Amino acid sequence: MMMKTILYPEPSNWAALSLRPQKEAADLDSIVRNVFDAVKRKGDEALLHYTLKFDGVKLSSLTPEKSLPESCFTSVSPALREAIRLSAGNIELFHSSQKDDVKVVETSPGVFCRTESRPVEKVGLYIPGGTAPLFSTVLMLAIPARLAGCREVILCTPPRADGSIDPSILYAAMITGVTSIYNIGGIQAIAAMTFGTETVPAVYKIFGPGNQYVTAAKQEATRAGVAIDLPAGPSEVLVIADSTSNPEFVAADLLSQAEHGEDSQVMLVSTDVAVVEKVLLALERELAWLPRRTIAATALEKSRAVILASHDECISFSNMYAPEHLIIATENAADLVGGVMNAGSVFLGQYSCESAGDYASGTNHTLPTGGFARSYSGVSLQSFIKRITIQEVSPAGLKNIGQAVITMAAEEGLEAHAEAVRTRLNFLRYV
Amino acid sequence: MMMKTILYPEPSNWAALSLRPQKEAADLDSIVRNVFDAVKRKGDEALLHYTLKFDGVKLSSLTPEKSLPESCFTSVSPALREAIRLSAGNIELFHSSQKDDVKVVETSPGVFCRTESRPVEKVGLYIPGGTAPLFSTVLMLAIPARLAGCREVILCTPPRADGSIDPSILYAAMITGVTSIYNIGGIQAIAAMTFGTETVPAVYKIFGPGNQYVTAAKQEATRAGVAIDLPAGPSEVLVIADSTSNPEFVAADLLSQAEHGEDSQVMLVSTDVAVVEKVLLALERELAWLPRRTIAATALEKSRAVILASHDECISFSNMYAPEHLIIATENAADLVGGVMNAGSVFLGQYSCESAGDYASGTNHTLPTGGFARSYSGVSLQSFIKRITIQEVSPAGLKNIGQAVITMAAEEGLEAHAEAVRTRLNFLRYV
């Protein structure tokens, strides 16, 4: 059978059970640095060169797609356009709620502090090509970018064989206000957005998923001073199930994660041996007809079912694993969520399937993987915003905190810091 | 004279005027990787080895400081303790205001989404040694860590010559609830917090400033899967002054930045030539008596005074520079702040000196430098928190968004995603 079942492991073994499949540690650094160096020096010429070399596509031009081509209307079915609009509406509604209010705090009398939000002015979205056009990721990145007020929202995605861009990606980009779109993918796209070329503008922050080359390129972009959304990695789900869970639903959720890629991982954590057995049977049955069954089966081989003694232990195990997606498919799901410390996005109850969040519930599907949920949040409106602190100190305020500043600055050996206060306090003595 | 004055530069020249002093691009990667590798393999033994090698200190033990030693009370003056407590109170008040409320959004009928905050459970604070003990940075990092609810807050700081830790750092750590303190600095401290050793626990996120070695080590920590607060760099200030500004105050603020380090940069941007001339004279006068005058003079040599035609141009120039600290010392300071797009922290008016924010206004002094204010925020409560999204989809909710999910998943070639919805909708047809 595919998933390995582990019965009542000791807590001392949980860390080992939380390990992700080891990646082959291909050192991509030299490839990435060569491409970055070439794009920095040669600009568009390097983009054309690497698109031919890596993607096998000879581009006639890099002219960005600036206006909505007719093909968006003719090639994207009305049903898909309607689905995209429903999803976009929910994503917009949820991300709008993440706006911060400005609260002015008078920390000492006469000392007024506040935080104001400003958009990252120029952002770049990377949308992978590969087996299918991920127009849903366009929605997840471009909608909060527009809500944040980003001035330039550019998008890079690998060209199809004829050099064009998939119409569903174009459609999603157009309705979300992406300002320009480029048919460039892979390392060279990340390098282009890092340095800028004759055609592609440089940006301040790069978002979006990708394979190991794109991930390594985003890491290199940070060395060049460009921010990134998240360290990316293979997708994963952890499902907590008990005797009340529907095994068919659980199996369907595990498969919807497993089909993402051979390096995906799914974890089933349960208080009930019987339900796990039923889930495993359902998995075998459902796998048989799945178009992506080879991918899913490979992912399941690296996956685990863990039986634990209580719901609390299930939550503790999940916290150690820190899943990208956590489905709590138990009776008392809402009661358990308070104990969740580390997770990207949580799905509560029998009907909150992961695919709902992947597409249409309104939450973001760009989430921390590989245990990064211990320290990172998923993409949100805040990912496109900087928080600037602002302070206004009145003469009375400076009198209230000035001596503390002078004392601390002097102790740290920073006399000019102290003097900036003294000069002002002296002046105030004579006005 | 020290600062170079540029009169009415063309906007096309602003980018060049916004450049930071070039760092000597020492490639520290191999040193950093060697230390990381040694600490990962040999743990404490490597920490003792590198502390002797790099810091010249032979440590008798790595036992952390766990309880407040007597020396905190005897060596830290009552005036300093009072100053630290005032500062800590203001920092706590301001950072408390950054807590998020949970807002539940019903994105489609029956689809409930919300965001909940959770602390990063284990954080490591790095406090540099060097010319003075930076106890103020302890306050800036440990207070939001405690407010966020971080379970483990560990602190590493280089040992003094006798292996001990400065009492003012100990005092600040103790009153802010740091859970353990280690007398280790530099690359080896960052490596210890990344991998954990027999004595030092591994953490999920590392905070704090440092020299180029520490900065390179923090970059290496991200490659090992540990998050960091910010890419660090030399400190800087940009002051916007007009004919109403007090030249003595402006000069004092420029000096308080310049004394930080020889690689610091200060920028004066003004609509008024006369005030700039007065500031330059005041700088010369004040520099003469400053204890750190050699450092400050070197920093000033790399600094600039730029004369522009209007307040709006001053703000535009500042946005291009993206200063860590922005002082708007003009008459209408509060009216200009709306135009500020890129800055770490803003100081409004004649009495809001940078040193107030460095120590005691309540805002955080860990801020983005080197132009990173274009894409990064300074440290805040949010830096110690992850935002987890939570969705609860009712049966009615799934009926409302299910078809959109099925349509989009099928288009992206992810049939199992669609099936997870279909299975549930089929089930609901029969209950």
Side-chain angles (χ1 to χ4, degrees):
Chain A
M1 193 21 219
M2 27 175 144
M3 280 177 91
K4 198 178 165 192
T5 304
I6 300 105
L7 284 162
Y8 306 107
E10 291 293 318
S12 57
N13 292 332
W14 290 7
L17 294 172
S18 295
L19 290 178
R20 270 66 176 180
Q22 283 299 310
K23 290 173 281 189
E24 67 287 21
D27 193 7
L28 308 169
D29 286 3
S30 65
I31 301 173
V32 168
R33 290 196 185 180
N34 284 343
V35 176
F36 267 59
D37 187 50
V39 171
K40 190 177 184 178
R41 286 187 296 110
K42 299 187 190 169
D44 285 350
E45 186 191 329
L47 298 183
L48 295 172
H49 170 75
Y50 287 114
T51 301
L52 183 58
K53 182 173 176 184
F54 294 144
D55 302 326
V57 178
K58 190 164 169 52
L59 294 175
S60 55
S61 94
L62 280 168
T63 314
E65 303 273 0
K66 284 218 184 221
S67 57
L68 188 60
E70 277 302 309
S71 61
C72 285
F73 296 105
T74 54
S75 317
V76 180
S77 72
L80 182 56
R81 279 186 267 154
E82 188 188 327
I84 288 176
R85 283 198 305 269
L86 180 141
S87 167
N90 285 358
I91 295 166
E92 180 160 346
L93 214 53
F94 183 60
H95 288 74
S96 297
S97 78
Q98 296 170 338
K99 286 188 183 166
D100 290 316
D101 304 320
V102 176
K103 291 174 236 170
V104 178
V105 182
E106 190 172 4
T107 54
S108 282
V111 180
F112 302 91
C113 301
R114 66 184 192 269
T115 305
E116 289 191 11
S117 295
R118 295 290 187 276
V120 180
E121 290 179 284
K122 303 177 188 187
V123 300
L125 315 183
Y126 184 80
I127 305 297
T131 50
L134 295 183
F135 56 84
S136 61
T137 303
V138 179
L139 305 180
M140 294 293 175
L141 299 177
I143 290 171
R146 193 194 51 199
L147 286 173
C150 302
R151 203 177 65 207
E152 273 186 47
V153 182
I154 73 167
L155 187 156
C156 288
T157 190
R160 298 192 292 185
D162 66 355
S164 69
I165 291 171
D166 185 275
S168 60
I169 287 183
L170 282 179
Y171 180 77
M174 294 306 170
I175 66 161
T176 53
V178 169
T179 50
S180 57
I181 306 176
Y182 304 91
N183 49 350
I184 311 160
I187 302 169
Q188 62 270 26
I190 306 299
M193 295 192 279
T194 299
F195 301 118
T197 70
E198 300 90 320
T199 305
V200 183
V203 300
Y204 301 151
K205 190 167 184 177
I206 298 173
F207 294 78
N211 59 22
Q212 56 182 341
Y213 295 96
V214 172
T215 300
K218 283 171 68 184
Q219 177 82 30
E220 184 67 19
T222 67
R223 296 171 67 100
V226 175
I228 63 168
D229 51 353
L230 282 173
S235 195
E236 69 212 9
V237 70
L238 186 148
V239 181
I240 300 179
D242 63 11
S243 59
T244 70
S245 307
N246 182 318
E248 306 281 335
F249 296 177
V250 173
D253 290 340
L254 295 175
L255 284 176
S256 73
Q257 188 57 55
E259 76 171 344
H260 265 298
E262 295 187 350
D263 52 4
S264 292
Q265 190 178 53
V266 305
M267 302 285 284
L268 173 59
V269 180
S270 180
T271 51
D272 193 81
V273 178
V275 84
V276 170
E277 283 169 358
K278 286 180 201 158
V279 170
L280 295 179
L281 287 174
L283 274 180
E284 296 231 45
R285 205 164 51 234
E286 293 298 313
L287 194 57
W289 70 266
L290 202 64
R292 292 165 72 97
R293 74 181 75 89
T294 317
I295 291 171
T298 307
L300 286 172
E301 275 165 25
K302 299 168 193 160
S303 300
R304 303 183 190 100
V306 180
I307 317 289
L308 293 167
S310 67
H311 286 102
D312 281 352
E313 280 198 12
C314 292
I315 292 290
S316 296
F317 184 90
S318 174
N319 284 337
M320 177 163 284
Y321 186 78
E324 180 190 13
H325 304 97
L326 168 61
I327 300 177
I328 309 184
T330 63
E331 202 169 24
N332 54 348
D335 298 340
L336 293 177
V337 74
V340 174
M341 292 300 294
N342 304 319
S345 191
V346 183
F347 300 77
L348 295 182
Q350 302 283 339
Y351 296 95
S352 305
C353 48
E354 188 201 307
S355 52
D358 286 342
Y359 289 107
S361 69
T363 62
N364 208 290
H365 78 198
T366 309
L367 296 166
T369 57
F372 281 113
R374 297 180 195 111
S375 50
Y376 285 88
S377 311
V379 166
S380 72
L381 187 68
Q382 268 64 38
S383 311
F384 295 88
I385 273 173
K386 299 108 47 183
R387 292 153 169 258
I388 300 178
T389 53
I390 298 166
Q391 51 246 288
E392 193 157 10
V393 183
S394 72
L398 197 64
K399 286 177 187 167
N400 285 323
I401 66 171
Q403 188 52 54
V405 175
I406 292 168
T407 302
M408 294 172 77
E411 182 73 20
E412 290 192 350
L414 297 172
E415 268 302 323
H417 282 64
E419 188 63 13
V421 175
R422 272 192 225 109
T423 302
R424 287 169 166 93
L425 291 181
N426 284 340
F427 180 84
L428 285 172
R429 226 163 269 158
Y430 301 105
V431 291
Chain B
M1 191 23 219
M2 29 178 141
M3 279 177 91
K4 198 178 165 192
T5 304
I6 301 102
L7 283 162
Y8 307 107
E10 291 294 319
S12 57
N13 293 331
W14 291 7
L17 294 172
S18 294
L19 290 178
R20 270 65 176 181
Q22 282 300 309
K23 290 174 281 188
E24 67 288 19
D27 192 8
L28 308 169
D29 285 3
S30 63
I31 301 173
V32 168
R33 291 197 185 179
N34 285 342
V35 176
F36 267 60
D37 187 51
V39 171
K40 189 176 182 178
R41 285 187 296 110
K42 298 186 189 168
D44 285 350
E45 188 191 329
L47 298 183
L48 295 172
H49 170 75
Y50 286 113
T51 302
L52 182 58
K53 181 172 176 183
F54 293 144
D55 301 327
V57 178
K58 189 164 169 54
L59 294 176
S60 54
S61 92
L62 279 169
T63 314
E65 302 272 1
K66 285 215 183 224
S67 58
L68 188 60
E70 276 302 310
S71 61
C72 285
F73 296 106
T74 55
S75 318
V76 180
S77 72
L80 183 56
R81 278 186 267 154
E82 189 188 327
I84 287 176
R85 281 197 306 267
L86 179 141
S87 167
N90 285 358
I91 295 166
E92 179 159 347
L93 214 53
F94 183 60
H95 288 75
S96 298
S97 77
Q98 296 170 338
K99 286 186 183 168
D100 290 316
D101 304 320
V102 176
K103 291 174 235 170
V104 178
V105 182
E106 189 171 4
T107 54
S108 282
V111 180
F112 302 91
C113 301
R114 65 184 193 270
T115 305
E116 289 191 11
S117 294
R118 296 288 188 277
V120 180
E121 290 179 284
K122 303 177 188 187
V123 299
L125 315 182
Y126 184 79
I127 304 298
T131 49
L134 295 183
F135 55 85
S136 61
T137 302
V138 180
L139 305 181
M140 295 292 175
L141 299 177
I143 291 172
R146 193 194 51 200
L147 286 173
C150 302
R151 203 177 65 206
E152 274 185 47
V153 183
I154 74 167
L155 187 156
C156 288
T157 190
R160 298 193 292 185
D162 67 356
S164 69
I165 292 170
D166 185 275
S168 60
I169 287 182
L170 283 179
Y171 180 78
M174 296 304 171
I175 67 161
T176 52
V178 169
T179 49
S180 57
I181 306 176
Y182 304 91
N183 50 349
I184 311 161
I187 302 169
Q188 62 271 25
I190 305 299
M193 295 193 279
T194 299
F195 301 120
T197 70
E198 301 90 321
T199 306
V200 183
V203 300
Y204 301 151
K205 190 167 184 177
I206 298 173
F207 294 78
N211 59 20
Q212 57 181 341
Y213 295 96
V214 171
T215 300
K218 282 171 69 185
Q219 176 83 30
E220 184 66 20
T222 67
R223 295 171 66 100
V226 175
I228 63 169
D229 51 354
L230 282 174
S235 196
E236 68 211 10
V237 70
L238 186 147
V239 181
I240 300 179
D242 65 10
S243 60
T244 70
S245 308
N246 182 319
E248 306 282 335
F249 296 178
V250 173
D253 292 339
L254 294 175
L255 284 176
S256 73
Q257 187 57 54
E259 75 171 345
H260 266 297
E262 295 187 350
D263 52 4
S264 291
Q265 190 178 51
V266 306
M267 301 285 283
L268 173 60
V269 181
S270 180
T271 51
D272 193 80
V273 177
V275 84
V276 170
E277 283 170 356
K278 286 180 201 158
V279 170
L280 295 178
L281 287 173
L283 275 179
E284 297 231 43
R285 204 165 53 235
E286 293 299 312
L287 195 57
W289 70 266
L290 202 65
R292 292 165 72 98
R293 73 182 75 88
T294 317
I295 292 172
T298 307
L300 286 172
E301 276 165 25
K302 300 169 193 158
S303 298
R304 301 182 191 101
V306 180
I307 317 287
L308 294 167
S310 67
H311 286 103
D312 281 351
E313 281 198 11
C314 292
I315 293 290
S316 296
F317 184 91
S318 174
N319 285 336
M320 177 164 283
Y321 185 79
E324 180 190 13
H325 305 97
L326 168 61
I327 301 178
I328 309 183
T330 64
E331 202 169 24
N332 55 345
D335 299 339
L336 294 178
V337 75
V340 174
M341 292 300 295
N342 304 318
S345 193
V346 183
F347 301 76
L348 295 182
Q350 302 281 338
Y351 296 95
S352 304
C353 48
E354 188 202 308
S355 51
D358 286 343
Y359 289 108
S361 69
T363 61
N364 209 290
H365 77 199
T366 309
L367 296 166
T369 56
F372 281 113
R374 296 180 196 111
S375 50
Y376 286 88
S377 312
V379 166
S380 71
L381 188 67
Q382 268 64 38
S383 311
F384 296 89
I385 274 173
K386 298 109 46 183
R387 291 154 169 258
I388 300 179
T389 53
I390 298 167
Q391 51 246 289
E392 193 158 8
V393 183
S394 72
L398 197 64
K399 285 176 188 168
N400 285 324
I401 66 171
Q403 187 53 52
V405 175
I406 292 169
T407 303
M408 294 172 77
E411 183 72 19
E412 289 192 350
L414 298 172
E415 269 301 324
H417 282 65
E419 188 63 15
V421 176
R422 272 191 224 110
T423 302
R424 286 167 165 94
L425 291 181
N426 285 339
F427 180 84
L428 285 172
R429 227 163 270 156
Y430 301 105
V431 291

